[in-house]
Amino acid sequence: MDPPTMWRATTVQACGLWPFAAGSGAPMTGVPLGQHLHTGATVCGDPLSWFTRARYISNPSLFMLGMPGLGKSTLINRMLIGLSATGVVPLVLGDLKPDYADTVRALGGQVITIGRGVGGINVLDPGAMGAAAARIGGEAGQMLAAEAHGRVLNMVAALITIVRNRPMDDHEQSVLSAALHHLRENSSPGRPPLLPDLLRVLTEGPDRVRSVTLDRGDTDRYRDAVDPLHRSLLGILDGPLGNTFASATSTRINLDSPAVCIDISRIGEADTQLTAAAMLAAWSDGLGTVAASHAMADAGLTPRRWFFTVLDELWRPLRAASGIVDRIDALTRLNRSLGLGDAKITHTLKDAEALGTDADRAKARGFVERAGMVACAGLPRAEMEELGRIVGLSRREIELVSSWSSPPGWAAHGEREEPPGRGRFLIKVGGRPGIPIKVAITDTESRLHDTNLRWAAANERATERIAEAAAEPDPDRRWTA
């Protein structure tokens, strides 16, 4: 029998239907996500609303795991739209497919394209933080300028880590910091230095840089100290990263934009080093913009704004080079104090197991442990049991989510049948029972967020060829079509 239609109403409207109207314990604070699988009640939630208003979580972050094609980015896209309507600024820092660019455009936001020949990021440019420091001035401006220096240092170190496939040595970071200080003090106002300028400083060897190499006036000792760093910087400029980070930033993030998407989909799928570097540069620039916005608000120069960052396909930068976990951890650990909510998305916990060292694997697992919300979409049983040891899943929850990872049945007439787990998620918060939901998207969301767009276009062309072949009298023509 078909189940009866379910209706939701206020107590004033439904009081005459008693006892057939029943309440439920589904959370109602935040973006409407979908219906509870068991009760049919509307479930609302997002990391910012559950942290600031409902106080369900102590950290405004979401970690999402799930097999491909089950709707992970669709749920995040729903949160992005809903939070934007409340005045929160969504920041998609590295859109790989792209999944979110059309939505950001529809919201009136800014889409910045990064890739070879289409746009780049100057990692030595302090960006919004530098501009805010100059505008604020005084002690607060100096503190912001120091923070901008630290972010630039971390970003250059991250690029070197990617090129070398191992972290920088501690004395090299001291040399790099001294060279960046020298560049900042001797650059023309309004013209941020570039990576070729950094190479020139290492070649010239000013006193400030020489003092941290302990060369004691010996040029050979100085060259021995800086040559490995010099070679790595040359590798950035002339190696697999190309000129993406060698010239001025093509488009700066607009602090007043209602949403921002940094589109890196032009970078090839196999170009893992450039993808990881572009994602890290986008995160550094985006989070620096957040810090600048809050500093301006603290100084009374602009209104206070909250931000929601999306870090999709987290496994790709994690696998690019040893030590990248440290950089991601440093960029995202302080979101609670920055007025910043975030969503990190990957496939399984095995993405962390693929990392090279035990320390990196432990830090990657920390992303899940620190998350205020954990959402699961169609993970296999073994993966759910492993996750259960971190977030505390019951046996029934493990069985429920693992049942969603089953493949679809064999369609009898060629119709497209959805996997059983598409649009179904289990949301876990601390030791609370999980909330299973079913997400149903609107037509507008479907148009803005079609992750199978290229497949759909190919399918339409194939359908047209089959229709043409069916009209031909030649029977062999159908097979060639």
PDB file of all heavy atoms in Angstrom, residues 81 157 208 335 388 474:
ATOM      1  N   ILE A  81      23.654  28.157  -0.327  1.00  0.00           N
ATOM      2  CA  ILE A  81      22.559  29.047  -0.735  1.00  0.00           C
ATOM      3  C   ILE A  81      21.810  29.569   0.486  1.00  0.00           C
ATOM      4  O   ILE A  81      21.515  30.763   0.592  1.00  0.00           O
ATOM      5  CB  ILE A  81      21.598  28.298  -1.686  1.00  0.00           C
ATOM      6  CG1 ILE A  81      22.314  27.948  -2.996  1.00  0.00           C
ATOM      7  CG2 ILE A  81      20.357  29.138  -1.970  1.00  0.00           C
ATOM      8  CD1 ILE A  81      21.513  27.030  -3.898  1.00  0.00           C
ATOM      9  N   ALA A 157      56.468  28.380   1.695  1.00  0.00           N
ATOM     10  CA  ALA A 157      56.970  27.114   2.226  1.00  0.00           C
ATOM     11  C   ALA A 157      56.142  25.942   1.713  1.00  0.00           C
ATOM     12  O   ALA A 157      56.685  24.855   1.448  1.00  0.00           O
ATOM     13  CB  ALA A 157      56.965  27.153   3.753  1.00  0.00           C
ATOM     14  N   ARG A 208      70.747  41.448   5.908  1.00  0.00           N
ATOM     15  CA  ARG A 208      69.702  40.852   6.736  1.00  0.00           C
ATOM     16  C   ARG A 208      69.564  39.359   6.464  1.00  0.00           C
ATOM     17  O   ARG A 208      69.319  38.568   7.385  1.00  0.00           O
ATOM     18  CB  ARG A 208      68.381  41.565   6.505  1.00  0.00           C
ATOM     19  CG  ARG A 208      67.236  41.015   7.343  1.00  0.00           C
ATOM     20  CD  ARG A 208      66.089  41.957   7.416  1.00  0.00           C
ATOM     21  NE  ARG A 208      65.104  41.516   8.406  1.00  0.00           N
ATOM     22  CZ  ARG A 208      64.092  42.261   8.820  1.00  0.00           C
ATOM     23  NH1 ARG A 208      63.948  43.497   8.354  1.00  0.00           N
ATOM     24  NH2 ARG A 208      63.245  41.796   9.707  1.00  0.00           N
ATOM     25  N   ASN A 335      39.376  28.401  12.937  1.00  0.00           N
ATOM     26  CA  ASN A 335      38.148  28.953  12.365  1.00  0.00           C
ATOM     27  C   ASN A 335      37.171  29.443  13.422  1.00  0.00           C
ATOM     28  O   ASN A 335      36.400  30.366  13.192  1.00  0.00           O
ATOM     29  CB  ASN A 335      37.479  27.908  11.452  1.00  0.00           C
ATOM     30  CG  ASN A 335      37.176  26.615  12.177  1.00  0.00           C
ATOM     31  OD1 ASN A 335      37.736  26.343  13.238  1.00  0.00           O
ATOM     32  ND2 ASN A 335      36.301  25.819  11.610  1.00  0.00           N
ATOM     33  N   GLY A 388      33.223   4.757  13.110  1.00  0.00           N
ATOM     34  CA  GLY A 388      32.537   4.627  14.387  1.00  0.00           C
ATOM     35  C   GLY A 388      33.466   4.698  15.574  1.00  0.00           C
ATOM     36  O   GLY A 388      33.064   5.121  16.668  1.00  0.00           O
ATOM     37  N   ASP A 474      19.105   0.561 -43.347  1.00  0.00           N
ATOM     38  CA  ASP A 474      20.277  -0.301 -43.268  1.00  0.00           C
ATOM     39  C   ASP A 474      20.418  -0.832 -41.843  1.00  0.00           C
ATOM     40  O   ASP A 474      20.704  -0.078 -40.920  1.00  0.00           O
ATOM     41  CB  ASP A 474      21.519   0.500 -43.667  1.00  0.00           C
ATOM     42  CG  ASP A 474      22.775  -0.381 -43.672  1.00  0.00           C
ATOM     43  OD1 ASP A 474      22.631  -1.587 -43.438  1.00  0.00           O
ATOM     44  OD2 ASP A 474      23.869   0.165 -43.885  1.00  0.00           O
TER      45      ASP A 474
END
